[in-house]
Amino acid sequence: MSKSSKISRRKLLGNLPKGLATLGLGGLFWGSLVKETSAESLVLRPPGALPEKDFLKACLKCGQCVEACPYDTLKLAPAAADNLAGTPYFEPRAIPCYMCTDFPCIKKCPSEALSEKEITIDGEASINNSKMGLAVVHKESCIAYEGIHCSACYRACPLMGEAIQLIFDKNEVTQKHANLKPVVNGDICTGCGLCEHACIMEESAIKVLPPHVIEGKAGTHYIKSWDPADENRLTDIPETKKKEDVESTLDYLNDDNLLDDE
Amino acid sequence: MKVLYTYRFLILRRLSQFLVLFLLAAGNWFGWQIMKGNLSSGELLGSVKLSDPYAVLQMLATGFWVGTDILVSAIIVLAFYTLLSGRMFCSWVCPMNPVSDFARWLRPALGIEKSTLSVSKSFRYWLLGLSLVLSVISGVAAFEAISPIGFLHRQVVFAAGFGWAIVLIVFFFDLGILKNGWCGFLCPLGSFYAVVGNFGVLKVKHEKGKCTLCNKCFQVCPEPQVLGIIGKENGFIKNGECTNCARCIEVCDDKALGFSLRIKRNKNNGDDS
């Protein structure tokens, strides 16, 4: 009995480094593969998706949102892509989100990776509150900015006149016509991609990107004094731990030599 | 008809594997309500929500609170496979099993006898642990991100590209590098269900008195290490690594093996009967 346990212990000790090496190497490779595929990507998620990091944790890759989508908009990410395999996404130039008012994809999600809470404002869930992405117009290539009366994106927009507005401008070429320039209102745009789908150009001049790619963020040292609500951004800031050297500052300011030009 | 009887469990298993995958695919392609979703999570008959308990465990490891609905859906599946001894999933439902079985069947035909790798049978439990650690670190369900099982059923049910390529890699790995390599040595889902299977109820039972030591069961068994009691003592194949594939029952000419329920949960249950 003791002899057999001795042998197995020796065998175990012999195999341990081999196992650890394999496990370590495998873990490193596996981990980097997971990191690589779940890195911030440019894919658009279905409406109601949690912020990307939480979405990747919550999504079970079951595809029930894909099944629920009546327009075949949603697809599951393939293997070996820059998008976590099996997670749902859509490409608006192919098929945009048609913004079902009853959002069947969200309702079918078993894990709240797609959540009605994300599109609920003031107690009311509406597909118009979704933030799948944000449309951006490339002015330099958009033919409407050249003077052609296109307005395809404007008319395709489910929130016409709100999410995309047409700005009237003098046509400098003819001197007597108007340019009808599409401009996106980022506060209202849902990222459904109907505009990108509708763009009549060979390559769409209006594209939908994940909001975080485009959105800026003012630092906490810029506060809108005229907007009391903006003060709220200051509440969660940790206090600075930097010691202020009052003495040397005062010495510096009181130093007569500062004013002496001689 | 004798062939049908000889391979009765094998035929039932292939039918069961095909049916599950077919019904899931029909749920997507034809809108049938019998089974929706896929093997990660789904809905049965439009009402019962079911989830892969190991996938949910990884979700919890990422630090995401999954909510009671999904927890219940995972516990139902967990309870079901506890009754059916865990790895019954592997041999009766998992779509990778036919791939793995095909590679194993092809080996002698192609004259491939040796495995170029030797891996300990306990290695898969380390991988199981590693998958949870990586889930914690990366914030993503680590095995779900690379699971060939997922790639395969998503390929069939949702046509989510490149799934076949991953399945082919596993097939050639099993064929050329390690016999029964994926299912028998690596798959963390299999090891998860092996742990569950230790508490299983439906088990293969052996009657020593009838056994003629012909060794046929050892030859067909994908996990022969579980057959330690054959010809030595009466009782159940208790090891959770047994997949309940029932190949041993089929090949046993002496009726020394058969399915039975292990109801009494005490230390002597190996000696009863």
Side-chain angles (χ1 to χ4, degrees):
Chain A
M1 181 65 199
S2 66
K3 195 184 172 193
S4 74
S5 74
K6 223 178 223 169
I7 287 170
S8 72
R9 191 182 306 149
R10 185 180 302 162
K11 205 176 146 197
L12 181 77
L13 281 176
N15 280 335
L16 199 61
K18 191 175 113 184
L20 283 178
T22 319
L23 212 60
L25 209 62
L28 218 59
F29 178 63
W30 184 355
S32 63
L33 211 64
V34 171
K35 272 274 173 228
E36 182 81 6
T37 53
S38 62
E40 292 278 7
S41 56
L42 294 179
V43 292
L44 301 177
R45 298 299 181 193
L50 299 177
E52 184 72 3
K53 269 197 173 144
D54 284 333
F55 177 78
L56 291 179
K57 288 178 183 179
C59 177
L60 272 167
K61 308 158 189 72
C62 70
Q64 291 185 82
C65 52
V66 175
E67 287 177 343
C69 179
Y71 299 100
D72 289 340
T73 300
L74 299 176
K75 301 271 182 285
L76 289 187
D82 59 345
N83 181 4
L84 189 62
T87 52
Y89 72 103
F90 72 102
E91 287 173 330
R93 191 63 167 165
I95 311 176
C97 171
Y98 287 94
M99 311 250 289
C100 310
T101 47
D102 56 344
F103 31 90
C105 50
I106 302 180
K107 284 188 178 143
K108 273 294 167 196
C109 180
S111 64
E112 300 247 318
L114 308 180
S115 168
E116 275 187 39
K117 282 178 207 151
E118 292 293 316
I119 57 166
T120 300
I121 292 176
D122 295 333
E124 201 186 342
S126 163
I127 191 71
N128 290 345
N129 296 334
S130 54
K131 285 276 167 218
M132 295 169 268
L134 196 53
V136 199
V137 182
H138 188 243
K139 300 199 296 283
E140 288 73 14
S141 56
C142 172
I143 53 163
Y145 280 75
E146 301 288 338
I148 294 172
H149 288 191
C150 170
S151 71
C153 55
Y154 168 79
R155 285 168 203 287
C157 180
L159 298 169
M160 182 169 72
E162 296 174 66
I164 300 182
Q165 293 160 343
L166 287 185
I167 305 293
F168 289 60
D169 209 356
K170 186 182 172 192
N171 186 329
E172 295 295 342
V173 179
T174 64
Q175 295 289 331
K176 53 185 171 187
H177 297 96
N179 287 343
L180 275 56
K181 301 176 175 175
V183 173
V184 177
N185 184 337
D187 283 341
I188 296 171
C189 175
T190 63
C192 69
L194 276 156
C195 52
E196 183 178 335
H197 183 66
C199 181
I200 54 104
M201 291 178 46
E202 209 169 281
E203 177 74 40
S204 181
I206 185 165
K207 288 200 171 75
V208 180
L209 293 165
H212 71 263
V213 176
I214 299 165
E215 284 166 358
K217 187 186 171 204
T220 45
H221 47 291
Y222 296 106
I223 293 294
K224 299 175 198 161
S225 58
W226 60 93
D227 179 5
D230 204 37
E231 289 276 333
N232 294 339
R233 288 200 294 134
L234 298 175
T235 48
D236 289 336
I237 307 170
E239 262 184 59
T240 42
K241 293 233 171 74
K242 204 172 135 194
K243 255 192 198 161
E244 280 176 45
D245 192 351
V246 182
E247 207 172 307
S248 78
T249 311
L250 286 176
D251 283 350
Y252 170 76
L253 290 173
N254 289 332
D255 193 348
D256 285 345
N257 291 336
L258 273 177
L259 299 171
D260 264 348
D261 267 351
E262 293 158 76
Chain B
M1 286 305 102
K2 194 170 175 295
V3 184
L4 277 184
Y5 182 75
T6 314
Y7 293 105
R8 60 196 183 280
F9 289 117
L10 187 61
I11 293 165
L12 281 176
R13 275 173 46 209
R14 294 292 178 250
L15 273 177
S16 147
Q17 286 159 345
F18 172 79
L19 204 66
V20 170
L21 211 55
F22 173 75
L23 287 176
L24 287 172
N28 184 36
W29 301 113
F30 317 132
W32 293 12
Q33 294 294 319
I34 307 170
M35 282 186 179
K36 288 286 218 173
N38 61 26
L39 291 176
S40 306
S41 186
E43 214 173 80
L44 191 64
L45 299 168
S47 51
V48 189
K49 285 189 162 66
L50 302 170
S51 298
D52 174 355
Y54 174 51
V56 172
L57 186 67
Q58 288 170 76
M59 261 171 91
L60 284 169
T62 64
F64 184 82
W65 169 243
V66 295
T68 38
D69 273 11
I70 207 101
L71 215 54
V72 169
S73 70
I75 288 171
I76 294 172
V77 176
L78 190 63
F80 179 73
Y81 282 118
T82 309
L83 289 177
L84 296 184
S85 290
R87 291 199 69 192
M88 202 143 174
F89 168 82
C90 300
S91 59
W92 290 75
V93 177
C94 183
M96 277 310 284
N97 175 264
V99 178
S100 175
D101 276 358
F102 182 52
R104 194 152 46 92
W105 177 81
L106 215 56
R107 275 181 151 251
L110 296 179
I112 309 170
E113 296 299 334
K114 274 201 300 187
S115 291
T116 34
L117 258 183
S118 94
V119 179
S120 157
K121 270 288 173 187
S122 62
F123 186 65
R124 55 174 156 209
Y125 298 108
W126 290 96
L127 283 184
L128 175 61
L130 186 63
S131 74
L132 296 178
V133 172
L134 285 178
S135 299
V136 173
I137 296 173
S138 65
V140 173
F143 179 60
E144 302 310 304
I146 60 156
S147 162
I149 307 163
F151 287 135
L152 179 51
H153 64 63
R154 283 197 301 268
Q155 177 73 62
V156 175
V157 181
F158 295 104
F162 289 108
W164 299 123
I166 311 286
V167 173
L168 264 184
I169 294 173
V170 175
F171 172 75
F172 285 121
F173 175 76
D174 271 23
L175 186 66
I177 298 177
L178 184 57
K179 184 181 171 187
N180 201 27
W182 173 253
C183 301
F185 293 90
L186 302 178
C187 180
L189 182 59
S191 8
F192 174 81
Y193 277 129
V195 175
V196 173
N198 289 322
F199 309 95
V201 176
L202 183 69
K203 291 275 179 190
V204 175
K205 198 175 184 185
H206 176 54
E207 286 181 58
K208 183 182 128 191
K210 292 181 180 170
C211 179
T212 57
L213 302 177
C214 71
N215 259 359
K216 278 187 185 167
C217 51
F218 280 94
Q219 279 158 21
V220 292
C221 183
E223 303 277 353
Q225 75 280 7
V226 306
L227 294 175
I229 61 162
I230 298 294
K232 292 178 190 152
E233 50 186 275
N234 287 322
F236 293 96
I237 306 293
K238 278 182 276 184
N239 193 328
E241 287 164 13
C242 168
T243 67
N244 273 2
C245 73
R247 286 292 289 140
C248 57
I249 302 175
E250 287 172 349
V251 297
C252 186
D253 297 325
D254 312 314
K255 298 205 185 318
L257 291 159
F259 274 127
S260 191
L261 297 179
R262 186 176 64 158
I263 309 258
K264 254 200 295 179
R265 289 271 310 121
N266 58 40
K267 278 180 183 168
N268 301 324
N269 58 4
D271 306 322
D272 58 17
S273 86

